[in-house]
Amino acid sequence: MDNSEIAALLNNIGDMLEIIGESSFRVGAYRRAANVISALPRDINDIRGDKQGLTSIQGVGKGIAEKLAQLLDTGKMDYYEELKTKLPGSLVELIHIQGVGPKKAKLFYEELGVESVDDLEKALQEHRVKDLPGMGVKTEDNILRGLELYKKQSGRLLLSQAVPAAEKIINYLQKYSDVTEISTAGSLRRWRETIGDIDILAATNKPRQVADEFCNYPDVVSVLAKGETKCSVLLHNGLQVDLRLMKPAQFGSALQYFTGSKLHNIHLRELAKKRGLKLSEYGLFNLAGNKLLAGADEADIYNELGLDYIEPVLREDKGEIEAAAAGKLPDLIKLSDIKGDLHAHTQASDGQSSLEEMAAFAQKLGYQYLAISDHAQTLKVAHGLDLKRFEEQWRQIAELNRQWEDFTLLTAVELNINSEGKTDFPDEVLARFDIVAASIHTGFTQDKERITYRTITAMANPHIDIICHPTGRILDRRPPYAIDLVQVFAAAKKTGTILELNAFPDRLDLNDDQLRAAKRYGVKFAINTDAHHFGHLANMRYGLHTAQRGWLTSADVINTLPIDSLLKSL
DNA sequence: GCCGTTTTCGGCCCGACTGTTTTCAGTCG
């Protein structure tokens, strides 16, 4: 089992313990351990072999370490198996429905025999819930609404749906209402790969007027709640947007609080307490609560706690607070560091734009270079190019390059790694491209050993510079294929092969935790959009923020290099 | 179940809202 699978299992245990009614601190301990392990830069199996062992992991003590050791050694954990006999397998799913927590899940199970989401739906329809102690008609309605929501958005929203929608609303409110400051908050501001709902925070002295304007926003189909501190609306595309209204003097502390993550906030408040202070959404206070130390400005809160400012993308309680205390936060890569894009397709294969259109948009973004990396001959479904067609493309690129002084189209290819680990062209052909990328497009269902072998075999070819979308996952549609990333990272370091961070919003592959792990191995990255239309080149920002979430600096990413250094490094 | 520049035992973040209740439990973020 890998780190993310272990983390998922620990979270599941946390959910089960909560329903059983275990101490919330024990529940929290399992969730913290899960959070830390998901971000671990090393394979947990290796740590198991260390002298200090699993307890060297912050948040893993003797109890969890013993259980994990058994799991890693035998593939089973007695404790988990025992819990599963106490609760039906799908009962934990209930607490992911808005309005249902552990207590109600337990009540429904014990009193109504509800064991799954389907059971609950039936019980609600038959109005068996309202007669339970502490329940009523309104509770029943609330849960029914939560259930509808749960069914509708089983998957969370992609960043690429949420970010533009939020930006439009912010522009609108700035234009038509009296806000002094306004920002996104929540997981959207942290640029998590998927978003639950859109949170927006505004500072104003005229909350009623801002609330009115917000509810009049043209895309609103229904107003769910409207008050002076909070409004919720539903947009016609099904998105829920929450607007929170604050006084300017509290904007910083409110923004800090509503940005989260939950675990980051808990850790920060613990730290405040240790220093004799108290932190809430209303500000940072002395313990007596009568002296305000910070509130209007978010950065002041961190500074008053003795920390460097922590960017929202890092606020996951994955070591950023310790790093900020030690002055060791990374100098995160910025969008302006990106000098070009190394993965783009044209009409020649499965793209929709011409060479000229791609180049024009890349220049508009201020790039020095763009690599045209169409698919090659064996990927028939994408109309891959044979050598003759590539030679024609090279001729066109050379001709176009003559007219620009400070911009270059690079000749590239995205090879397909077949089930034997072989690619489309012999080495003497590969040597003729500026950049050679390779990736897996077929045989997703092969076993871990096989897929890892294919990838590592391709990396061993000295002509192959980059491995694209290394896990093949597509958010909400396709899980990653079975691949041993630890072996891949080690091989990437050894062979000097670059790993791609694919910026396409439903890929983001490698993801944040994987980037951080790979960085520890000394791997270098390319952040590429994999554009199939010139407009897709603008997706770079989704990759960029994912890179930040992976603690990457500009030195970790090769397409921050000017063109001559780039070509030399390849 | 974890952890220690107040502690190896006794703590463990903070506040608001809702719905069901007469003082609070449950849920949420």
Side-chain angles (χ1 to χ4, degrees):
Chain A
M1 290 177 85
D2 66 23
N3 296 11
S4 64
E5 290 167 318
I6 302 262
L9 187 145
L10 290 175
N11 270 323
N12 200 230
I13 291 178
D15 288 350
M16 292 199 276
L17 292 177
E18 203 173 23
I19 293 174
I20 289 171
E22 264 291 355
S23 142
S24 62
F25 303 113
R26 182 171 290 172
V27 172
Y30 278 92
R31 297 209 172 124
R32 272 169 214 249
N35 193 51
V36 172
I37 287 170
S38 74
L40 230 42
R42 287 175 62 209
D43 188 338
I44 194 163
N45 290 285
D46 292 345
I47 299 174
R48 159 96 173 110
D50 285 355
K51 205 166 162 198
Q52 287 192 311
L54 296 167
T55 52
S56 66
I57 301 167
Q58 179 72 22
V60 175
K62 195 159 157 271
I64 293 181
E66 270 173 15
K67 296 181 176 81
L68 284 182
Q70 189 198 21
L71 179 67
L72 293 174
D73 291 347
T74 68
K76 281 218 161 150
M77 185 196 290
D78 290 341
Y79 184 62
Y80 184 52
E81 298 303 318
E82 199 186 310
L83 279 174
K84 283 198 285 190
T85 64
K86 288 187 190 158
L87 292 176
S90 50
L91 187 67
V92 291
E93 208 39 44
L94 294 193
I95 69 172
H96 299 135
I97 296 170
Q98 224 178 76
V100 181
K103 296 285 159 40
K104 286 185 187 149
K106 187 174 186 220
L107 185 73
F108 300 157
Y109 173 51
E110 288 177 345
E111 298 299 321
L112 303 175
V114 166
E115 297 192 356
S116 65
V117 174
D118 288 345
D119 289 351
L120 176 61
E121 186 170 21
K122 214 173 291 164
L124 288 165
Q125 284 163 352
E126 292 163 3
H127 299 292
R128 287 187 282 139
V129 168
K130 68 171 166 38
D131 298 327
L132 293 173
M135 303 294 117
V137 179
K138 286 203 166 175
T139 310
E140 206 170 65
D141 283 351
N142 265 343
I143 297 175
L144 208 53
R145 206 160 50 225
L147 188 72
E148 290 306 316
L149 207 69
Y150 171 89
K151 285 197 300 190
K152 204 159 66 187
Q153 47 176 162
S154 60
R156 289 161 56 100
L157 280 177
L158 289 181
L159 259 183
S160 53
Q161 302 168 278
V163 168
E167 286 171 342
K168 247 177 87 179
I169 296 170
I170 286 178
N171 283 337
Y172 169 86
L173 287 177
Q174 276 175 328
K175 198 166 169 189
Y176 294 106
S177 73
D178 209 345
V179 299
T180 58
E181 282 182 275
I182 188 163
S183 171
T184 57
S187 50
L188 181 58
R189 183 165 181 242
R190 304 200 310 278
W191 291 79
R192 265 192 61 176
E193 60 195 27
T194 58
I195 305 296
D197 54 15
I198 296 178
D199 287 313
I200 296 176
L201 201 64
T204 179
N205 290 310
K206 298 179 183 168
R208 194 166 300 167
Q209 185 233 337
V210 178
D212 285 342
E213 284 302 337
F214 177 62
C215 295
N216 285 334
Y217 180 64
D219 289 352
V220 168
V221 284
S222 71
V223 177
L224 303 172
K226 186 178 172 191
E228 297 223 340
T229 61
K230 184 185 163 180
C231 302
S232 291
V233 300
L234 213 56
L235 303 185
H236 65 66
N237 57 8
L239 294 184
Q240 184 178 329
V241 186
D242 292 348
L243 175 70
R244 298 182 192 263
L245 299 163
M246 294 287 151
K247 291 215 161 43
Q250 296 167 340
F251 185 73
S253 48
L255 185 58
Q256 193 290 314
Y257 161 66
F258 283 114
T259 298
S261 68
K262 187 184 169 85
L263 288 175
H264 174 90
N265 284 354
I266 290 174
H267 193 157
L268 210 60
R269 287 168 180 210
E270 281 171 354
L271 190 73
K273 202 168 173 179
K274 271 185 202 145
R275 310 214 164 165
L277 306 171
K278 192 176 69 146
L279 176 62
S280 76
E281 57 267 48
Y282 300 108
L284 182 66
F285 299 89
N286 64 354
L287 207 53
N290 53 17
K291 189 170 171 235
L292 178 72
L293 300 168
D297 183 65
E298 192 183 38
D300 288 348
I301 292 172
Y302 289 94
N303 295 336
E304 286 289 332
L305 288 170
L307 304 173
D308 288 344
Y309 176 70
I310 300 174
E311 293 289 346
V313 282
L314 298 182
R315 298 183 196 168
E316 300 290 347
D317 196 25
K318 291 180 175 177
E320 72 280 4
I321 292 176
E322 293 84 348
K328 287 184 177 162
L329 284 172
D331 183 12
L332 296 177
I333 183 171
K334 301 184 294 293
L335 195 56
S336 57
D337 293 335
I338 299 289
K339 301 284 196 303
D341 197 326
L342 301 179
H343 186 173
H345 299 269
T346 69
Q347 294 161 338
S349 64
D350 59 351
Q352 292 163 32
S353 305
S354 65
L355 281 173
E356 289 85 350
E357 289 170 320
M358 298 298 286
F361 200 79
Q363 291 176 73
K364 211 171 131 190
L365 293 173
Y367 288 165
Q368 293 180 13
Y369 48 83
L370 171 68
I372 299 298
S373 56
D374 276 314
H375 295 287
Q377 56 196 18
T378 63
L379 205 62
K380 302 278 185 231
V381 61
H383 195 44
L385 283 64
D386 58 16
L387 178 58
K388 201 170 150 224
R389 289 178 64 213
F390 269 117
E391 285 175 331
E392 169 58 20
Q393 188 179 62
W394 296 342
R395 201 189 52 71
Q396 293 170 20
I397 286 176
E399 197 167 303
L400 285 168
N401 276 340
R402 270 197 286 278
Q403 51 177 294
W404 302 309
E405 277 189 4
D406 47 9
F407 179 80
T408 309
L409 282 179
L410 297 170
T411 63
V413 56
E414 182 182 7
L415 300 168
N416 184 43
I417 304 171
N418 75 8
S419 55
E420 305 297 317
K422 301 221 164 52
T423 60
D424 304 70
F425 293 123
D427 285 358
E428 58 269 25
V429 174
L430 298 185
R432 297 170 67 188
F433 289 93
D434 290 330
I435 296 179
V436 177
S439 47
I440 288 178
H441 298 94
T442 53
F444 296 131
T445 54
Q446 287 182 322
D447 64 32
K448 196 171 201 168
E449 202 180 339
R450 195 76 209 159
I451 290 190
T452 307
Y453 168 82
R454 288 163 71 184
T455 305
I456 289 179
T457 302
M459 292 168 105
N461 183 322
H463 293 286
I464 294 179
D465 303 300
I466 303 176
I467 298 294
C468 298
H469 42 77
T471 79
R473 68 109 176 238
I474 296 182
L475 285 162
D476 281 342
R477 289 220 319 269
R478 192 169 77 201
Y481 36 70
I483 185 165
D484 185 341
L485 285 176
V486 169
Q487 282 193 54
V488 169
F489 297 159
K493 173 61 182 167
K494 189 169 149 223
T495 60
T497 309
I498 309 299
L499 296 184
E500 180 179 76
L501 158 50
N502 190 296
F504 221 90
D506 62 4
R507 286 189 181 267
L508 299 176
D509 178 9
L510 301 170
N511 72 20
D512 45 12
D513 289 336
Q514 292 160 345
L515 291 166
R516 225 178 138 186
K519 177 177 170 161
R520 183 60 77 92
Y521 281 81
V523 172
K524 298 290 180 206
F525 308 93
I527 310 177
N528 298 327
T529 62
D530 197 356
H532 284 67
H533 180 277
F534 68 83
H536 292 161
L537 291 168
N539 285 335
M540 183 58 80
R541 61 178 176 160
Y542 300 109
L544 191 279
H545 285 96
T546 301
Q548 293 183 330
R549 289 179 57 85
W551 293 49
L552 300 193
T553 67
S554 108
D556 297 316
V557 176
I558 64 160
N559 48 323
T560 60
L561 295 170
I563 187 161
D564 30 341
S565 321
L566 172 79
L567 292 175
K568 205 188 282 173
S569 82
L570 294 174

